[in-house]
Amino acid sequence: MFEEPSHKESILLHLDPRIKRVVVFSFSIVVAILNRIPVLLCALIFALLFVLTAKVSIKELIKRLTPVNMLVGFLWLFLPFTFPGKPLFYLGSLSVTYEGVLYATKISIKSNAIMLMMIVLVATTSIFTLGHSMHALRIPQKIVHLFFFTYRYIHVMKREYVRLVNSMKIRGFKAKTNLHTYKTFAYMIGMILVRSFDRAQRVHNAMLCRGFKGNLYSLKTFSIKKRDMVSLVLVIVIIIVLGVLEWKKTI
Amino acid sequence: MLKNNSRSIKNIKPRRCGHHEDTLFWWFFFAKTGQNKEANSIMHISEGVLSPVVLIGGAVAAAAGVAAGLKNLEQNDIPTLGILSAAFFVATLIHVPVGPVSAHLVLNGMVGLILGWKAFPVILIGTALQALLFQYGGITTLGVNTFNMAFPAVICYFLFGWGITPNSRRTVVIITAFCSGFFAVMITGLLVGLSLYLTGEAFLPAAKLIVVAHFPVMLIEGILVVACVLFLKKLRPELLESAYAKR
């Protein structure tokens, strides 16, 4: 359930994770601010090029784009009708406004462009490497450590959860809309919490035995090579061009 | 023998064993995605929807909350807190049947009761991981989403946390636990609606519908938190001493 996408051999796989993080972050912010459809389309094409370079499979892409497009789809049900503007056509007594359709289109392009970049990031970097790069980017140490521990133990907790669900199923539990179901789920959550609490105590003691003083040391060192710099400059230039296109209203 | 690979996990998901089939109306709100995942993704606003002002506001507010949460957090407590937050992360993935559909739990009331201000960093990590692993939410909306979930948790901790101690009376525990589960989801729904509304007036009907659609989830969360707190009170009262919240 928590699988990361497969990391296929590509140029992006070997780039410095710090660079990737910075690039994706700045791209997301700029695209979130952009407001004109031609520029947004440019950004979408740019993101698609990245997806092609990262060799993400279509199946994976569709699977990961669905959650975003669900909210976008939900907004499409409303925005064309509620956005003030001149009516495009009528659906019964409701008028679909030109501006509303435009606005909803903008949101769809924006969401998908940013998400594509994010998928590229996840598809070319393991989550642990991302954590280490957070550390290198001076994000507070406590947050980075919390991130590591949470990610490390999600899988363990998931196993506990699966064990509990298995034992519930063996005893013939069926989820329905009634108090018994909710109580059972609540007890299960309580049990997961209790087990995690006990495990936390054990892990902490074991760590103390091994001399834990509140620091985690990374064996990974990052080095910025020539190709990292080149790609960083290239992408930053493209992002600036997007910004200028938006600002100067050239297209 | 059930193996722990993803295929068998998929087969034993609780929602698969229920009799709840989707009606067309609910389809739009809890739309099915593929075989095994069903997302209540209206709790996480995705990228590109909100206006820059709302995004910045949310990020600043979330940063302040996270700073407050980290202030009293000892470096030594981080392994414990990390494992607890992993447990909460897994618990929020449980599907609970609500009439014809199933919904994800939010559980921010529960997080707030146990962790207090530390709910902010824990929920920050949770939303970040959800964005990275399942693409719910995103990078630019990280701040807003964290605030929308964590702020109600902290409010509920301060409003109702007093009632949930190992020594308090059963009725007091039931009422305060229900309120914290109920109101945490309600305030989250209101905040999600508000963030959409502040982006543009045109979002108002959608925002209203989101708040209304949350109502069944609120009730269920309330009941769940009551049962869960009573269970913990019996089994492991020290978890309810808000040791993590106060430290």
Side-chain angles (χ1 to χ4, degrees), chain A residues 3 31 57 67 73 81 120-121 124 128 130-131 133 139 148 152 166 179 191-193 214 246:
Chain A
E3 64 251 54
V31 174
S57 69
F81 304 102
V120 171
L121 177 74
T124 58
F128 270 113
L130 275 179
S133 75
I139 289 172
F148 273 131
R152 166 69 182 76
N166 280 351
L179 196 61
M191 208 56 223
I192 292 176
L193 283 179
E246 166 79 23

Side-chain angles (χ1 to χ4, degrees), chain A residues 90-122:
Chain A
Y90 290 90
L91 263 180
S93 59
L94 294 163
S95 68
V96 176
T97 63
Y98 178 68
E99 281 83 355
V101 172
L102 218 59
Y103 191 61
T105 317
K106 264 186 224 165
I107 286 179
S108 325
I109 302 176
K110 258 191 209 186
S111 308
N112 283 301
I114 301 178
M115 257 319 147
L116 285 175
M117 274 307 244
M118 178 98 151
I119 292 169
V120 171
L121 177 74
V122 190

Side-chain angles (χ1 to χ4, degrees), chain A residues 25 64 67 70-71 82-83 111 114-115 118 142 145 150 159 165-166 175-177 182 186 196-198 204 214, chain B residues 4 12 18 33 46-47 70 73 75-76 83 85 96-97 99 133-137 139 202 205 220 224 227 236 244:
Chain A
F25 190 62
R64 285 176 185 271
M70 257 158 40
L71 183 86
T82 54
F83 209 81
S111 308
I114 301 178
M115 257 319 147
M118 178 98 151
K142 283 177 188 172
H145 286 181
T150 309
R159 270 208 302 278
V165 172
N166 280 351
K176 285 176 203 144
T177 310
Y182 299 141
S196 75
F197 185 68
D198 291 348
H204 189 214
Chain B
N4 266 346
I12 54 173
T33 64
S46 39
E47 304 263 21
L70 289 180
L73 179 60
Q75 196 60 262
N76 270 327
I83 295 173
S85 77
V96 173
L133 292 170
F134 316 128
Q135 277 72 44
Y136 298 165
I139 302 180
I220 288 166
L224 269 168
R236 205 56 63 95
Y244 289 95

